[in-house]
Amino acid sequence: MVAIHFISGLPRSGSTLLAALLRQNPRFEAGMSGPLAGLFGALLGEMSGRNEFSVFIDDNKRERILRGLFNDFYADCTAEVVFDTNRGWCGWMPAIARLFPNAKVIACVRELPWVVDSIERLIQRNVFSPSSIFNYSAGGTVYSRAQQVVASDGMVGGPYDALKQACYGAQRDRLLVLQYETLTTDPAKSMQAIYRFIGQPVFEHDFVHVDYDVTEFDERAGTPGLHTVRATVEAQPRETLLPPDLFNRFVRDAFWRDPERIPVGLHVV
């Protein structure tokens, strides 16, 4: 089995950009969000008490089966280090610690008003293509869409709750919180921090020629541009599309920016 680490955190917060940079290293494999976390959860559910045959499956068997899922999924991978990406991994920190004692999790974060703004910008840009984000439903307003994505089971709310659980949980020493603002303004610092965190030799990345194209996937999802990565890593200031009252609703949710709210042992870059 290759060494495995995880990329998780909030949507629209740089996970695809980070994967595009990591994959420049020929020793690494990384990509956009994949199916492994969903398969992981489905397997756990099928091995639970809701299955009448679960009496034949103890925790040792569950561990072997779940570890085998990773081994088989990446069996044809030639990289030495794999980064599996999914927003769900922050919610599985205790399981990750049991299955892969040396694995680390990189949680990509961004100030929440700009996460919501980024989603809304995609919707308004693709006005004639209803998005899978909202079950291909047309119509609604910026307020109704924001309420839907920040709900506890929404595209933003669910990962945000999982992020908080991971940041304040017992396994936070294996979590690195990577701010989108740091990644886009100082990518060299960000990558150096990641290499130190995972204990790998530093690789010289190219921040001017970044290449990662998943246009076909985004178009099938009805959201062109969802995983677009610009060729050059740089911050691009802009005005928000959100009305002021909606924008201000989320301004204090970035707990990782408040020293008094950062728990001891949590790494923030």
Side-chain angles (χ1 to χ4, degrees), residues 138-208:
T141 69
V142 62
Y143 289 93
S144 63
R145 288 188 288 271
Q147 185 63 35
Q148 186 172 335
V149 297
V150 301
S152 60
D153 60 349
M155 178 182 178
V156 179
Y160 180 72
D161 288 348
L163 171 70
K164 287 191 292 184
Q165 173 181 294
C167 288
Y168 292 99
Q171 295 81 28
R172 62 178 177 268
D173 60 322
R174 61 176 64 235
L175 182 70
L176 173 69
V177 176
L178 176 63
Q179 300 178 84
Y180 179 83
E181 296 80 6
T182 307
L183 180 61
T184 54
T185 58
D186 197 344
K189 172 186 174 181
S190 301
M191 299 309 291
Q192 290 167 7
I194 289 171
Y195 278 93
R196 284 196 303 270
F197 187 62
I198 65 176
Q200 291 288 333
V202 174
F203 178 82
E204 187 171 340
H205 290 271
D206 184 350
F207 304 118
V208 179

Side-chain angles (χ1 to χ4, degrees), residues 19 36 53 71 73 78 134 138 151 169 187 195 201 229 263:
L36 201 48
F53 299 110
N71 291 338
F73 191 85
T78 59
F134 300 101
Y195 278 93
V229 173

Side-chain angles (χ1 to χ4, degrees), residues 74 110 151 171 228 233 241 253 262:
Y74 287 110
R110 188 179 191 177
Q171 295 81 28
T228 296
V233 182
L241 293 178
D253 289 332
I262 298 175

